[in-house]
Amino acid sequence: MKNQICSLPLSVPTVLALAALCVGASVQPSQAQNGVARVPGGAMAQLKIEALPRGVTRAQLEAHEVVPANIRGVESFRFDGPRTLKLVPQIDTGPQPKININTFGAAIHNTLKDQVNGYTLRVRKGNQVTYNLIWNWAKRPGDGSQGWTGDTRMHIASVSKLMTAMGVAKALDMKGLSYDTKIINYLPSHWSKGPKINQITFRHLLNQTSGFDTGDSSTDYETMKKMVAKGVPKVGDYAYANMNCGLCRILIPILMGTVKKDAQFFPFGSLNDKLWDAITVSYYREFMQDRVFEPSGVNNADFKHVAGVKSAMAYKFPAGDGWDSGNLSSVAGGAGWRLSIDEVLKVMATFRGTSKILSPAKAQYCLDNYFGLDQIIDSPAGKIYNKNGLWRSNGRTEQCVAYFLPDNTQVAVFVNSPVGADSKFLRSLINTALTGAIK
């Protein structure tokens, strides 16, 4: 639909937004007359909703909030190191040590039981679940009496960064581009770019060395736009920020050509930004579903609750009402995905052990370069890679960890409360249990 006039009985803002999306054109205020968005030349044509991202309606775009109430004041995980760790278990000399999963599981259960609202731990080797532990409630009796299961979804918080890193790696691979490609060519044209933004690459985003430092958990569109305009003092040093992967939800659609970087969905800043946010989030979700989740056997991954799919609530410990963290599309990329423990493990196993997302060699390169990861552990049993996630409001906590172990084995643990009244750090507990399980 090029060189046409798009006409519908809608308000000027809606027509301008959808018309620009429909034709890929920039619509100026002077081109809007009597509620009709005019694009140079052509004839009248009905604007088709099919031009929107898959599953997205005009009503959803109009209702979208860039900074909704449910993300304000939320605390998320921030990892300041160490990025490398060496486990030194007490072992006898002899054959190559291995991780005894039964010993590991027993240690975790003894540590977590009676100290959390509920948890689930699963181990997957290749395409088989080889170990499973479940304790207590995903939803307490007052909230529905739902126990933990392998298909119960929870907000995976910063483990979303691991998923996003897989998506970025896939997108760059599809386009034949290096991780050292500069991101400036894939940022919205209407964003101001501050000092040293032209030095930042996709690699810097994926391994948290871009120089961005928001000082908190913010990864909404407004914050990211301001930070890019501000620039960074230096590129290359490690500094954990949710927006590194948050930016990727905007970069992927531009990189893949589903959104033009010079698109103007509305001629005034705040409404244009609102639509940019809603549309790029939707295209990011679509790409991730098609290229990461579906190849892994995961259907209908989302940032919000899906009807008919079990979900956990977050709690304080030892008591308190449950919390539903809500629709988290506004923080997508650095956080936001709602997945079950089985779904997380399926994606991890597919990424590392098959060629459905990347070749195993390319996937291993991502792991070895900290893409979407926090820590690489050097152990006598082999290298261990992990990612931690935590999302908390007024003490009500949802947290999880994801581990790539040697021998094509993946482990995940979901907990929907703090660990104990003193909020012990989940990953430290996992690392201690792993140390004791290396035999």
Side-chain angles (χ1 to χ4, degrees):
M1 278 179 60
K2 292 184 179 179
N3 300 321
Q4 294 179 329
I5 297 175
C6 295
S7 177
L8 276 179
L10 304 175
S11 64
V12 173
T14 302
V15 172
L16 283 169
L18 297 180
L21 176 62
C22 176
V23 301
S26 182
V27 181
Q28 301 302 318
S30 60
Q31 295 174 293
Q33 300 175 5
N34 300 320
V36 176
R38 299 190 176 275
V39 182
M44 301 293 283
Q46 287 290 320
L47 183 64
K48 295 182 178 179
I49 289 297
E50 287 79 16
L52 298 177
R54 189 172 65 224
V56 175
T57 66
R58 189 182 78 230
Q60 288 172 328
L61 289 180
E62 291 176 338
H64 179 75
E65 294 182 79
V66 175
V67 189
N70 65 299
I71 70 167
R72 296 173 191 159
V74 170
E75 173 191 355
S76 74
F77 168 76
R78 180 184 173 95
F79 182 61
D80 294 322
R83 301 213 79 186
T84 58
L85 191 66
K86 189 175 182 66
L87 295 186
V88 186
Q90 298 297 316
I91 60 172
D92 296 326
T93 58
Q96 171 74 38
K98 293 185 179 297
I99 299 172
N100 186 307
I101 295 299
N102 289 327
T103 301
F104 167 71
I108 290 299
H109 183 65
N110 287 335
T111 299
L112 295 183
K113 72 178 180 69
D114 302 321
Q115 292 296 307
V116 298
N117 174 76
Y119 83 88
T120 178
L121 177 154
R122 287 205 170 189
V123 179
R124 186 182 181 98
K125 183 173 182 180
N127 61 1
Q128 296 292 324
V129 174
T130 58
Y131 193 85
N132 178 39
L133 286 176
I134 290 173
W135 172 261
N136 230 7
W137 302 110
K139 290 181 179 178
R140 288 178 180 168
D143 296 313
S145 295
Q146 180 183 303
W148 274 103
T149 60
D151 61 353
T152 300
R153 283 186 172 179
M154 186 183 78
H155 175 215
I156 62 171
S158 285
V159 175
S160 298
K161 294 179 179 66
L162 176 59
M163 306 293 138
T164 298
M166 295 178 190
V168 172
K170 178 65 174 180
L172 291 172
D173 190 61
M174 290 173 68
K175 292 296 183 180
L177 295 174
S178 162
Y179 295 111
D180 297 311
T181 300
K182 303 290 177 59
I183 69 167
I184 194 167
N185 296 321
Y186 303 97
L187 289 168
S189 296
H190 70 283
W191 282 20
S192 298
K193 285 84 175 179
K196 297 185 171 58
I197 297 300
N198 63 344
Q199 298 178 18
I200 298 172
T201 67
F202 285 93
R203 182 187 300 274
H204 292 131
L205 295 182
L206 297 180
N207 66 14
Q208 301 280 342
T209 59
S210 67
F212 291 121
D213 188 358
T214 60
D216 59 18
S217 304
S218 299
T219 185
D220 59 86
Y221 185 96
E222 289 180 356
T223 295
M224 294 191 294
K225 182 181 177 183
K226 290 176 183 176
M227 293 300 295
V228 168
K230 179 181 178 182
V232 297
K234 183 180 180 182
V235 177
D237 289 344
Y238 176 76
Y240 190 95
N242 282 353
M243 74 165 284
N244 282 312
C245 286
L247 273 178
C248 295
R249 74 172 187 253
I250 298 170
L251 295 169
I252 286 176
I254 297 174
L255 177 63
M256 297 308 298
T258 48
V259 175
K260 297 179 184 297
K261 69 177 183 179
D262 58 353
Q264 289 286 341
F265 300 119
F266 193 76
F268 305 116
S270 61
L271 289 175
N272 187 45
D273 285 348
K274 172 179 175 175
L275 288 163
W276 256 96
D277 189 30
I279 289 167
T280 51
V281 164
S282 297
Y283 275 124
Y284 161 73
R285 177 184 177 273
E286 185 175 300
F287 178 86
M288 292 292 292
Q289 181 60 53
D290 290 346
R291 301 296 180 176
V292 176
F293 295 126
E294 190 170 317
S296 304
V298 175
N299 298 318
N300 205 15
D302 214 329
F303 314 116
K304 62 182 184 300
H305 298 297
V306 176
V309 177
K310 289 179 285 188
S311 61
M313 297 185 76
Y315 295 90
K316 295 181 179 181
F317 183 83
D321 295 334
W323 174 54
D324 177 358
S325 50
N327 185 336
L328 295 161
S329 59
S330 58
V331 295
W337 285 111
R338 292 189 179 276
L339 297 170
S340 71
I341 194 167
D342 278 351
E343 289 170 331
V344 168
L345 290 172
K346 282 181 180 179
V347 175
M348 293 170 67
T350 300
F351 181 69
R352 181 162 73 160
T354 76
S355 296
K356 293 180 180 180
I357 302 174
L358 294 176
S359 71
K362 290 178 179 179
Q364 187 61 49
Y365 180 88
C366 292
L367 298 182
D368 288 334
N369 283 273
Y370 293 92
F371 291 172
L373 295 171
D374 291 332
Q375 200 173 59
I376 299 176
I377 300 172
D378 184 15
S379 84
K383 284 191 175 181
I384 299 169
Y385 309 84
N386 68 53
K387 184 72 191 84
N388 189 88
L390 179 144
W391 200 252
R392 176 182 293 148
S393 175
N394 295 322
R396 299 165 299 182
T397 303
E398 45 197 3
Q399 58 181 318
C400 59
V401 290
Y403 278 70
F404 293 93
L405 302 183
D407 199 23
N408 195 25
T409 300
Q410 285 69 232
V411 175
V413 182
F414 282 24
V415 180
N416 61 334
S417 74
V419 180
D422 55 349
S423 298
K424 298 178 182 68
F425 187 34
L426 180 60
R427 182 170 53 208
S428 294
L429 302 176
I430 304 297
N431 286 348
T432 298
L434 284 172
T435 301
I438 297 175
K439 307 288 185 182

